[in-house]
Amino acid sequence: MTTPNTPSQNPTAEPTINKPAPVTPVLTKRWLSPTSWSLKTYEQLEGYSALRKALGGTPEQIVELVKASGLRGRGGAGFPAGVKWSFMPPNEDKPHYLVINADEGEPGTCKDIPLMMADPHSLIEGCVIASYAMRAHHCFIYVRGEALHCIRRLNAAVREAKAAGYLGRDILGSGFDLEIVVHAGAGAYICGEETALLDSLEGRRGQPRLKPPFPAAAGLYGAPTTINNVETIASVPFIVNGGADWFRTMGTEKSPGPKIYSISGHVTNPGQFEAPLGTTLRELLEMAGGMKDGVPLKFWTPGGSSTPMFTAEHLDVPLDFEGAAGAGSMLGTTAVMVFNETVSVPWAVMKWSQFYEHESCGKCTPCREGTYWLTGILERMLDGKGTPGDIDTLLDICDNILGRSFCALGDGAVSPITSGIKYFRDEFLALCAKNTGDQNAATASPALAGAHS
Amino acid sequence: MTGSNTGSTYGGSSVGAGTTHQETVGDTDVLGISPVAAEHLVTEFVEDLSVFDGIVAKARAIVLRYPDSRSALLPMLHLVQSVEGRVSQAGIQFCAAQLDLAPAEVSAVATFYTMYKRKTCGEHLVSVCTNTLCAALGGDDIYNKLGEHLGEDGKKLGHNETVGEPGAPGSVTLEHAECLAACDLGPVIQVNYEYFDNQTADSAVALVDALRAGEKPAPTRGAPLRDFRTAELELAGFWPEDEADYRASVDGPSAAVETLRGAKLAEDRGWTAKPYPAKAPLPEVEKK
Ligand SMILES: Cc1cc2nc3c(=O)[nH]c(=O)nc-3n(C[C@H](O)[C@H](O)[C@H](O)COP(=O)(O)O)c2cc1C
Ligand code: SF4
Ligand code: FES
């Protein structure tokens, strides 16, 4: 029995007047303006008006607003930003810190870097508002070192903002002080993990910390700290100006707002498309001009290599936090990497495994050793020396990494493998075809105790 | 059961499919392959730090940016690379002295991060993204082609190897890189961390030929090209002092077609987000 009145079953019944446009430029709306990165352009296009408004209210009001907007973290995990901010202690017994995660390194992800190049002041303004809301007087923007042009633009923006009185002492006569330091990383994907980032920012090897204590209790220099992604914080000035209800005109009840979808790979027109959360791949492909040269879609990631891959059967999955999870993956960073039929899944999986092996920080055994074995086995399979038993071994290793690693890098490392085997087992088997039959000896005597439960 | 199938295997699968670890990977002359001796990574004596005399003031300025001096270590290692094109034992001792750390503590950090180079870099560092997406679009071919093209005596130039006298004009260091966060513009190359987007094997060869010839081709996105050491100085937070140079570098291009694709599509179709309401007051909360 169907219920014809539910909007999902009958989209035309929805009042079209309330439907947002397919592309909703908010974060990206200034990007087309000439020298969009300059303070002059920014001020002409509503820049720093949200800061004036925010400083006219109390920190509690800003936290409440961000909570009401339903803004969820754009760095991958989707934690509600306002709730995270409210974990910061109300007193100032110790200094409070805001740290911006601009380490963008998840394979496929390419939204924060264009944002910081095109509109660095939106991030700076967001930082001032968020710092005011959390009573932080020191904010660090940790940018991956390879993003030199962003670092340059951010530094220039900080200089301009400071000269104009939007940063520094007694901002706009409010009595609120804030310093922003732009800090360059040095090439390590793991430093995107928020506690590894803090260790790195303290001048150490970037290795994750045990939680609890959570950063809001003991973060940078052991003091209360909030870590947010670039896109999360850059959304804040728009929420301050437009209000929570306006923000919720885009996206879904649980995943409100616009989101920058980064479409790359075998499509006609790859690029950045800011659309309401819940947009589907079918819709995104239409914006991107369809599959390149008409070669059919084979597999894709909804949000980077750490999110389990999807196939053509997932074209209509709404790409919001619930939709992606409901279909067995994760929204991640909305890094939509599209691969056509010419790409071998085991090859792609092997390449990603090499990445995780290289980037594993080495702190915990399942990830450090597991990624080594996964990569070696996949490389050997691709070399034509695989056996069907290898597939079970891969899954077994994945099982020993997933949920048993110290941080989420380990979990991410197994996503391409388990999802690749789930949807494309035949391709893995095909790699072993010529070795079946005569390899019983090799698979009969597992030599590593504990490898099989 | 053969009984010979012991050694380093995981559940019957072994990495190289030899029957023992030794057979799989060959015997290893640990000291022979260790860079420790060749690169003076471990030295008992105090190095001559005079090459760094010119950056002492800058090193102190970095320390002042942070509430805790140790936070200055990563930028300071970039600063050291701007002098020597690598992090040497002397560079490690310089940072340790500035920050009151043990050299071993600095070494532990320097060796963790990919961007700190142990061997002196060329005038230019060419990084080719070979992560999956770029690789599928041709990044692996580009990397292989460059290795062959820059190699000498029939030997390919390998990862982190340099053609030319390291640091001398026209010298080029090649590396393969992980995802450079420009996948919509893949295959991507960086030279001294400036972007050269949408590359092909041919365009990449033309690019390195120009670098070898002492030219400075313009990046697709980034500042006018300088050299690896200048890039490292910028990563340490020091920018051109000449105002015109500074503006030229900040204003270097960034607006790729791909970056603007969604915004442009919306403009062409007249698509926008809803306008803000006339009034959007901050929510009332109880005064705490
Ligand atoms: C291995 C790993 C890499 C990560 N890389 C990033 C990153 O580059 N940028 C980012 O914002 N978050 C990254 N994250 C997520 C952060 O740990 C953290 O959840 C996020 O910065 C919180 O910000 P948000 O709540 O605004 O999303 C990474 C997580 C892991 C486990
Ligand atoms: S899961 Fe991997 S990256 Fe994370 S702590 Fe363990 S070894 Fe390090
Ligand atoms: S995969 Fe090459 S830039 Fe992302």
Side-chain angles (χ1 to χ4, degrees):
Chain A
M1 249 301 284
T2 54
T3 41
N5 284 332
T6 55
S8 60
Q9 305 260 341
N10 186 2
T12 50
E14 256 182 299
T16 46
I17 197 148
N18 282 327
K19 240 184 132 59
V23 181
T24 48
V26 175
L27 295 155
T28 57
K29 73 177 176 184
R30 283 183 282 259
W31 292 14
L32 289 171
S33 308
T35 59
S36 59
W37 52 92
S38 70
L39 178 62
K40 196 162 147 258
T41 308
Y42 190 67
E43 283 179 325
Q44 283 164 0
L45 299 170
E46 99 184 47
Y48 291 105
S49 58
L51 176 60
R52 285 176 205 279
K53 181 170 169 185
L55 291 174
T58 63
E60 289 79 11
Q61 282 181 293
I62 309 299
V63 174
E64 192 50 45
L65 171 68
V66 173
K67 266 191 191 168
S69 76
L71 172 66
R72 296 176 63 172
R74 304 310 200 210
F79 195 84
V83 176
K84 195 192 267 191
W85 295 9
S86 69
F87 295 153
M88 293 290 275
N91 56 44
E92 283 187 68
D93 297 346
K94 282 185 175 177
H96 292 191
Y97 296 108
L98 172 66
V99 176
I100 304 303
N101 191 339
D103 195 52
E104 190 156 71
E106 167 77 11
T109 310
C110 48
K111 64 189 178 69
D112 296 336
I113 277 167
L115 190 157
M116 292 184 285
M117 280 191 201
D119 198 2
H121 281 285
S122 65
L123 176 60
I124 304 293
E125 184 175 8
C127 289
V128 189
I129 298 171
S131 296
Y132 176 67
M134 287 179 270
R135 300 181 169 83
H137 301 293
H138 231 121
C139 165
F140 297 91
I141 306 180
Y142 185 108
V143 194
R144 66 180 290 186
E146 298 92 337
L148 178 53
H149 206 40
C150 291
I151 294 171
R152 199 177 271 138
R153 289 265 169 95
L154 286 169
N155 263 292
V158 167
R159 267 193 209 188
E160 283 182 315
K162 205 160 178 177
Y166 299 124
L167 275 179
R169 297 216 141 266
D170 190 18
I171 294 169
L172 300 176
S174 64
F176 176 68
D177 305 335
L178 179 70
E179 292 298 332
I180 295 184
V181 176
V182 180
H183 182 95
Y189 166 63
I190 187 58
C191 292
E193 196 284 332
E194 57 183 17
T195 59
L197 188 152
L198 294 179
D199 259 40
S200 179
L201 185 51
E202 289 182 2
R204 297 166 198 280
R205 299 162 74 91
Q207 291 188 313
R209 299 177 179 177
L210 192 66
K211 292 189 271 193
F214 288 92
L220 188 64
Y221 313 129
T225 303
T226 292
I227 299 123
N228 272 129
N229 172 258
V230 170
E231 194 185 353
T232 313
I233 293 297
S235 301
V236 169
F238 300 101
I239 294 171
V240 169
N241 273 338
D245 291 339
W246 166 81
F247 191 69
R248 288 178 170 281
T249 61
M250 293 159 279
T252 62
E253 170 66 26
K254 287 186 173 159
S255 299
K259 180 80 190 70
I260 304 177
Y261 292 88
S262 310
I263 305 172
S264 62
H266 291 126
V267 299
T268 308
N269 298 317
Q272 310 296 324
F273 297 85
E274 188 180 8
L277 274 165
T279 301
T280 64
L281 180 67
R282 190 184 298 280
E283 291 162 330
L284 291 170
L285 275 180
E286 202 161 297
M287 296 172 201
M291 293 299 293
K292 189 163 192 278
D293 304 325
V295 183
L297 169 71
K298 186 170 175 184
F299 64 101
W300 57 289
T301 66
S305 60
S306 303
T307 62
M309 66 175 72
F310 278 154
T311 67
E313 61 180 86
H314 301 100
L315 272 166
D316 296 308
V317 170
L319 296 177
D320 53 41
F321 292 100
E322 291 69 34
S329 186
M330 286 176 288
L331 187 65
T333 56
T334 55
V336 182
M337 291 187 275
V338 178
F339 296 89
N340 69 21
E341 276 185 347
T342 66
V343 182
S344 147
V345 171
W347 171 84
V349 167
M350 175 199 70
K351 293 285 284 183
W352 278 318
S353 295
Q354 291 171 336
F355 164 78
Y356 291 104
E357 184 199 5
H358 182 248
E359 299 299 331
S360 168
C361 82
K363 180 164 183 154
C364 70
T365 315
C367 168
R368 181 188 63 238
E369 304 301 320
T371 53
Y372 167 83
W373 281 101
L374 290 170
T375 307
I377 293 170
L378 282 163
E379 283 171 349
R380 181 164 50 70
M381 291 177 82
L382 265 291
D383 203 24
K385 298 188 189 125
T387 68
D390 285 335
I391 297 176
D392 295 330
T393 308
L394 287 173
L395 293 173
D396 181 51
I397 300 173
C398 289
D399 194 41
N400 276 308
I401 296 176
L402 184 70
R404 293 177 160 93
S405 301
F406 193 82
C407 85
L409 186 144
D411 299 343
V414 310
S415 287
I417 301 175
T418 49
S419 60
I421 294 176
K422 175 171 161 195
Y423 296 118
F424 299 97
R425 184 184 276 265
D426 285 352
E427 279 191 42
F428 288 85
L429 279 171
L431 289 177
C432 315
K434 67 173 189 274
N435 300 323
T436 20
D438 60 356
Q439 289 288 321
N440 301 331
T443 50
S445 56
L448 247 196
H452 292 286
S453 45
Chain B
M1 193 176 144
T2 62
S4 65
N5 189 36
T6 52
S8 185
T9 68
Y10 189 108
S13 294
S14 70
V15 163
T19 46
T20 67
H21 186 66
Q22 292 297 319
E23 260 174 65
T24 305
V25 298
D27 202 0
T28 308
D29 172 9
V30 176
L31 277 181
I33 61 165
S34 154
V36 163
E39 293 172 29
H40 304 285
L41 283 174
V42 179
T43 45
E44 309 245 308
F45 49 91
V46 178
E47 302 273 346
D48 175 11
L49 302 185
S50 62
V51 297
F52 302 115
D53 284 352
I55 58 163
V56 172
K58 288 192 169 74
R60 299 212 171 117
I62 295 175
V63 172
L64 292 179
R65 288 180 207 150
Y66 299 93
D68 182 308
S69 66
R70 184 161 178 166
S71 284
L73 182 52
L74 265 66
M76 204 177 288
L77 286 163
H78 283 303
L79 180 66
V80 156
Q81 289 208 119
S82 77
V83 176
E84 291 198 302
R86 67 165 177 148
V87 176
S88 65
Q89 187 61 27
I92 285 171
Q93 288 185 6
F94 173 78
C95 292
Q98 290 297 319
L99 298 173
D100 207 9
L101 295 170
E105 289 176 289
V106 178
S107 277
V109 173
T111 52
F112 184 83
Y113 297 94
T114 335
M115 288 174 75
Y116 301 130
K117 304 297 181 195
R118 299 198 206 177
K119 290 188 282 183
T120 307
C121 251
E123 180 187 19
H124 301 293
L125 172 65
V126 173
S127 320
V128 183
C129 175
T130 55
N131 205 296
T132 315
L133 189 110
C134 277
L137 299 179
D140 276 353
D141 292 342
I142 291 173
Y143 179 71
N144 289 331
K145 187 75 190 281
L146 289 184
E148 276 163 24
H149 185 72
L150 295 173
E152 283 162 343
D153 309 326
K155 201 172 156 281
K156 268 173 99 169
L157 192 71
H159 178 59
N160 265 323
E161 289 179 355
T162 302
V163 55
E165 183 58 38
S171 55
V172 167
T173 301
L174 181 66
E175 67 173 4
H176 56 76
E178 297 303 355
C179 176
L180 292 168
C183 321
D184 52 334
L185 298 133
V188 172
I189 292 182
Q190 285 188 329
V191 180
N192 311 331
Y193 307 116
E194 314 287 359
Y195 284 107
F196 290 78
D197 303 319
N198 291 318
Q199 293 294 299
T200 62
D202 289 345
S203 68
V205 165
L207 173 62
V208 296
D209 282 347
L211 298 173
R212 292 288 287 135
E215 292 163 32
K216 303 270 166 82
T220 331
R221 291 176 300 142
L225 200 65
R226 273 109 4 121
D227 61 2
F228 173 72
R229 295 181 192 204
T230 309
E232 285 295 320
L233 188 63
E234 297 199 331
L235 289 172
F238 299 97
W239 308 97
E241 276 161 33
D242 177 78
E243 182 61 22
D245 277 357
Y246 176 67
R247 282 297 355 147
S249 70
V250 171
D251 292 341
S254 60
V257 174
E258 291 81 355
T259 303
L260 304 180
R261 192 95 74 184
K264 188 74 180 60
L265 181 70
E267 186 183 73
D268 291 348
R269 303 273 174 94
W271 291 337
T272 58
K274 298 239 181 295
Y276 294 151
K279 276 211 174 89
L282 297 177
E284 293 301 326
V285 289
E286 263 177 65
K287 190 94 188 92
K288 288 204 183 120

